[in-house]
Amino acid sequence: MDPEDQQQQHHNDSTDPHQQWKFSQCFGDKGDIENITEADVISTVEFDHTGNYLATGDKGGRVVLFERNETKKGCEYRFHTEFQSHDAEFDYLKSLEIEEKINKIKWCKRQNRAHFLLSTNDKTIKLWKVYDKAIKVVAENNLSDAHSNKARSLMSVDNLRLPRMTLHDTITAATPRRIYANAHTYHINSISVNSDNETYISADDLRINLWNLGIADQSFNIVDIKPANMEELTEVITAAEFHPISCNLFMYSSSKGTIKLADMRENALCDQYAKQFEETMDPAQHSFFTEITSSISDVRFAYDGRYIVSRDYMSVKIWDVNMEREPVKTISIHEHIRDKLCDTYENDAIFDKFEVVFSGDGKSVMTGSYNNNFMIYPNAVDPNADETEIILQADKSAFKSKKVGVPTSMGSGLMKNRRTQSPGRSGISMMRRDVEYETIDFKKNILHLSWHPHENSIAIAATNNLFVFSTL
């Protein structure tokens, strides 16, 4: 079976919503959350285009790579390498401290035996080359015979010889090939590599820049929403991503809950968008928190570019690229804390930026919540499919009991009618999201996650731990 057939087979497998998800493995210290350091908290996680490698970045500026363990059945990874990507800096002109925290990691498609990936903190983007480096040592040279009679004849040119090197060891090395700096005034929230594999975009609160991967000292500003008077500022850019197939298209989301699709062929400055995806809200439903909860924290294209998924604090919305007026489906996430938004505002939980991702076949979506819970919605892009939800938990209880998740009816599009089964019944344990506000642990929030591009395997960042779940 050739790779394309294997990939299609993986996609066919991932369309089955009735497969059981189970815990596969965990990396990191599974101890008490109170005893970990801030630098160890994982801030981004990303599979590469093959799914054979997995990268994480943390608040300490480190990047850790894992590789598929082919000797094991199912989906298991092993440590590959680790390197310090960013260090804390201080901007003396603005008296501003720049954190070393890795905001995003994006893999470049592999062209040779080396891996290339982009990593960014608030201000600086770096292109890293990760490769196997051979360490050689001198095995033989002119001094090797220094204690023999041959040493006396070295004065003759005929007796001189070149040193001979032999392989001592092979290590995995990481070197920064490009450093893209000084192009963003505000904090970088997104980077996205184009399908042409030559360019990428980086977005901050007010601007989006276009870069060539081979040119580090020059970028082109393609979106600028900064008003002449900053007091007139009404929205900021929250996320941006290139179309997966059409290299001229990209989209960006805003704090107003809108998604704008732009075409770089129309203008050098893409302030005029080609399409805008926005759902009109009944003014009677507006509240003090509406502006905050409607802000989109993440937006992604499906792998074929047909659908868009967005995540705000209260919901996940799936859009058809050909239909701007309303989403194909809206999935409520935090309906059980709607009456407690005042409390989430006071403890800053309402500002948590949850990510959302498509499955490899573009039919299912996944996002996170609190109490280390995350949810999978099988066949979410199909408006006629049954509304089902799989809730799993990325914590030490999942690590110990190897709990599994199965689809459960959502009921009326909300998180209702969820069944909880004990491990003694058919060996299945469905983890229900707590509906009691007092039992919610807001420190245990699943913000960062990634879905394998070709199979039902997912990586979840839970504080300082990396969990892998799979149906394999």
Side-chain angles (χ1 to χ4, degrees), residues 219-260:
S219 65
F220 299 93
N221 178 232
I222 56 174
V223 174
D224 188 348
I225 65 169
K226 183 179 179 180
N229 182 0
M230 285 295 282
E231 293 181 0
E232 298 173 0
L233 182 67
T234 58
E235 65 178 332
V236 296
I237 298 168
T238 56
E241 186 177 56
F242 262 121
H243 191 280
I245 300 171
S246 301
C247 61
N248 54 288
L249 297 176
F250 70 95
M251 66 175 173
Y252 60 97
S253 58
S254 83
S255 56
K256 278 191 170 181
T258 63
I259 303 169
K260 293 173 181 175

Side-chain angles (χ1 to χ4, degrees), residues 191-202:
I191 50 176
S192 178
V193 182
N194 200 350
S195 58
D196 63 11
N197 296 317
E198 294 180 2
T199 57
Y200 74 93
I201 54 174
S202 58

Side-chain angles (χ1 to χ4, degrees), residues 84-144:
Q84 188 72 28
S85 176
H86 287 72
D87 294 300
E89 301 175 45
F90 191 81
D91 187 335
Y92 292 95
L93 293 176
K94 298 180 180 178
S95 296
L96 181 69
E97 186 175 348
I98 302 170
E99 293 182 348
E100 63 268 41
K101 172 192 170 187
I102 306 296
N103 292 341
K104 293 290 180 182
I105 291 174
K106 293 294 178 184
W107 293 83
C108 300
K109 284 192 176 178
R110 199 168 180 179
Q111 307 289 340
N112 49 40
R113 298 184 67 180
H115 298 280
F116 289 89
L117 52 90
L118 291 169
S119 64
T120 183
N121 65 353
D122 286 341
K123 298 292 182 182
T124 305
I125 307 162
K126 296 183 180 182
L127 175 66
W128 289 91
K129 178 184 179 182
V130 181
Y131 60 101
D132 291 334
K133 182 179 181 180
I135 298 178
K136 295 183 177 181
V137 295
V138 177
E140 190 176 283
N141 59 19
N142 291 309
L143 298 179
S144 301

Side-chain angles (χ1 to χ4, degrees), residues 153-270:
S153 63
L154 290 181
M155 296 301 293
S156 171
V157 175
D158 296 333
N159 292 329
L160 290 175
R161 61 191 177 200
L162 291 174
R164 188 168 62 85
M165 310 289 287
T166 58
L167 179 66
H168 173 68
D169 196 7
T170 301
I171 63 169
T172 302
T175 57
R177 294 300 301 272
R178 303 277 188 281
I179 298 178
Y180 314 89
N182 305 319
H184 285 277
T185 306
Y186 306 98
H187 292 176
I188 299 171
N189 55 48
S190 300
I191 50 176
S192 178
V193 182
N194 200 350
S195 58
D196 63 11
N197 296 317
E198 294 180 2
T199 57
Y200 74 93
I201 54 174
S202 58
D204 64 25
D205 293 341
L206 299 179
R207 296 188 178 99
I208 299 177
N209 292 332
L210 176 68
W211 300 83
N212 187 298
L213 284 165
I215 303 173
D217 59 353
Q218 188 177 33
S219 65
F220 299 93
N221 178 232
I222 56 174
V223 174
D224 188 348
I225 65 169
K226 183 179 179 180
N229 182 0
M230 285 295 282
E231 293 181 0
E232 298 173 0
L233 182 67
T234 58
E235 65 178 332
V236 296
I237 298 168
T238 56
E241 186 177 56
F242 262 121
H243 191 280
I245 300 171
S246 301
C247 61
N248 54 288
L249 297 176
F250 70 95
M251 66 175 173
Y252 60 97
S253 58
S254 83
S255 56
K256 278 191 170 181
T258 63
I259 303 169
K260 293 173 181 175
L261 184 69
D263 189 341
M264 292 190 293
R265 294 173 300 184
E266 293 183 356
N267 245 324
L269 191 62
C270 300

Side-chain angles (χ1 to χ4, degrees), residues 33 63 202 207 271 341 353 379 388:
I33 190 173
V63 171
S202 58
R207 296 188 178 99
D271 288 346
L341 289 179
K353 298 186 186 329
N379 291 335
T388 54

Side-chain angles (χ1 to χ4, degrees), residues 16 49 174 190 202 237 274-275 327 373 387 406 419 437:
D16 183 4
H49 298 87
S190 300
S202 58
I237 298 168
K275 290 186 177 183
N373 288 328
E387 293 185 338
V406 294
R419 300 187 296 273
Y437 177 84

Side-chain angles (χ1 to χ4, degrees), residues 50-76:
T50 66
N52 293 328
Y53 290 87
L54 180 62
T56 66
D58 61 27
K59 291 186 176 181
R62 295 181 297 266
V63 171
V64 182
L65 304 186
F66 302 89
E67 64 177 338
R68 189 72 170 259
N69 190 351
E70 299 294 350
T71 63
K72 301 284 187 179
K73 289 184 178 181
C75 182
E76 283 200 21

Side-chain angles (χ1 to χ4, degrees), residues 271-298:
D271 288 346
Q272 298 298 318
Y273 47 84
K275 290 186 177 183
Q276 177 170 291
F277 303 89
E278 183 178 17
E279 187 177 27
T280 55
M281 183 180 291
D282 184 357
Q285 295 181 345
H286 275 266
S287 69
F288 171 77
F289 303 106
T290 303
E291 261 191 50
I292 303 173
T293 58
S294 62
S295 175
I296 295 175
S297 57
D298 194 20

